[in-house]
Amino acid sequence: GDSVTQMEGPVTLSEEAFLTINCTYTATGYPSLFWYVQYPGEGLQLLLKATKADDKGSNKGFEATYRKETTSFHLEKGSVQVSDSAVYFCARSGTYKYIFGTGTRLKVLA
Amino acid sequence: DAGITQSPRHKVTETGTPVTLRCHQTENHRYMYWYRQDPGHGLRLIHYSYGVKDTDKGEVSDGYSVSRSKTEDFLLTLESATSSQTSVYFCAISETRTSGRAYEQYFGPGTRLTVT
């Protein structure tokens, strides 16, 4: 079945470091791809999205490009802040449903 | 922020009792979902609805039932709660274009359920 695989965490970085969180997806159909962020005690919030190949989603300094040839949607940020500490989820759409990765916890140290 | 509320936000109940969680939306979105979130498992889909009175099972539907009598409300019922159903439950909504390309989901704040 459809699946999303993202890198295991936790990821610990110093402030202003470069961030990459890897995500790959199964390529059945023409999925939309998403990154969500979850802060402690809260629900998931949409961070960015891409709906077709080569689209780049971006928001709050985060970027991810829909790569059909490598079935990837890696999340990147050039300079992380302490406030970026959270859990990040990669997801793809299905017919009616959405498939989520298991989440990657990011901790940014001052 | 999308208008999604969940109630209650926290609940402690005893094994064997029935529990109903409510999700309410003000966005008039067609699709509604119930997930549970547990450490090491990420988000797992319990049930979803693609319209009033139209529901289907997700990957972890055993022990749960749902109902949707109005567009804005989606109820999740644990008929006889067990300790394995201790979890954080999230409701989500989405809309889908007629072409089938999926829109994003919007999530509620979650309900923390403890079954003792």
Side-chain angles (χ1 to χ4, degrees):
Chain A
D2 292 328
S3 64
V4 171
T5 303
Q6 62 182 105
M7 63 189 289
E8 295 274 337
V11 173
T12 303
L13 297 173
S14 298
E15 206 166 24
E16 299 183 3
F18 184 86
L19 169 70
T20 300
I21 300 178
N22 291 337
C23 172
T24 57
Y25 63 93
T26 52
T28 53
Y30 302 93
S32 296
L33 302 174
F34 310 92
W35 276 102
Y36 288 87
V37 59
Q38 184 180 32
Y39 300 101
E42 299 183 8
L44 278 71
Q45 303 173 25
L46 179 69
L47 182 59
L48 53 84
K49 66 179 181 181
T51 58
K52 62 182 185 298
D54 301 324
D55 270 2
K56 177 185 282 188
S58 62
N59 186 27
K60 300 180 182 178
F62 292 90
E63 294 184 340
T65 301
Y66 191 141
R67 302 285 189 200
K68 189 175 180 182
E69 64 276 12
T70 56
T71 63
S72 65
F73 192 55
H74 305 322
L75 182 67
E76 296 181 336
K77 187 175 185 182
S79 176
V80 295
Q81 306 300 313
V82 172
S83 57
D84 294 327
S85 297
V87 180
Y88 293 81
F89 291 90
C90 184
R92 61 151 284 166
S93 62
T95 303
Y96 294 122
K97 299 181 283 190
Y98 296 76
I99 298 93
F100 287 81
T102 53
T104 301
R105 183 175 300 277
L106 171 66
K107 184 174 183 180
V108 181
L109 304 176
Chain B
D1 290 344
I4 311 170
T5 56
Q6 293 184 232
S7 59
R9 293 294 313 280
H10 301 272
K11 186 169 182 66
V12 179
T13 191
E14 293 185 349
T15 298
T17 60
V19 176
T20 295
L21 308 183
R22 180 181 184 239
C23 176
H24 179 78
Q25 61 148 329
T26 58
E27 305 296 320
N28 200 36
H29 280 4
R30 178 180 175 186
Y31 297 91
M32 299 186 75
Y33 306 81
W34 277 108
Y35 294 91
R36 60 178 290 174
Q37 185 177 34
D38 305 288
H41 291 278
L43 282 173
R44 292 184 290 176
L45 181 65
I46 305 171
H47 282 280
Y48 65 100
S49 170
Y50 47 96
V52 174
K53 298 186 179 178
D54 291 324
T55 64
D56 206 349
K57 296 178 180 180
E59 60 183 305
V60 290
S61 58
D62 287 348
Y64 302 94
S65 62
V66 290
S67 65
R68 190 170 179 200
S69 58
K70 298 184 290 185
T71 297
E72 57 266 35
D73 289 326
F74 193 33
L75 304 181
L76 176 71
T77 297
L78 292 66
E79 300 290 347
S80 177
T82 68
S83 59
S84 65
Q85 293 176 312
T86 292
S87 187
V88 180
Y89 291 85
F90 288 100
C91 174
I93 64 174
S94 72
E95 194 54 272
T96 301
R97 299 176 202 170
T98 53
S99 66
R101 185 75 67 180
Y103 282 117
E104 59 270 25
Q105 288 184 305
Y106 295 98
F107 284 81
T111 294
R112 183 172 295 276
L113 176 68
T114 302
V115 183
T116 61

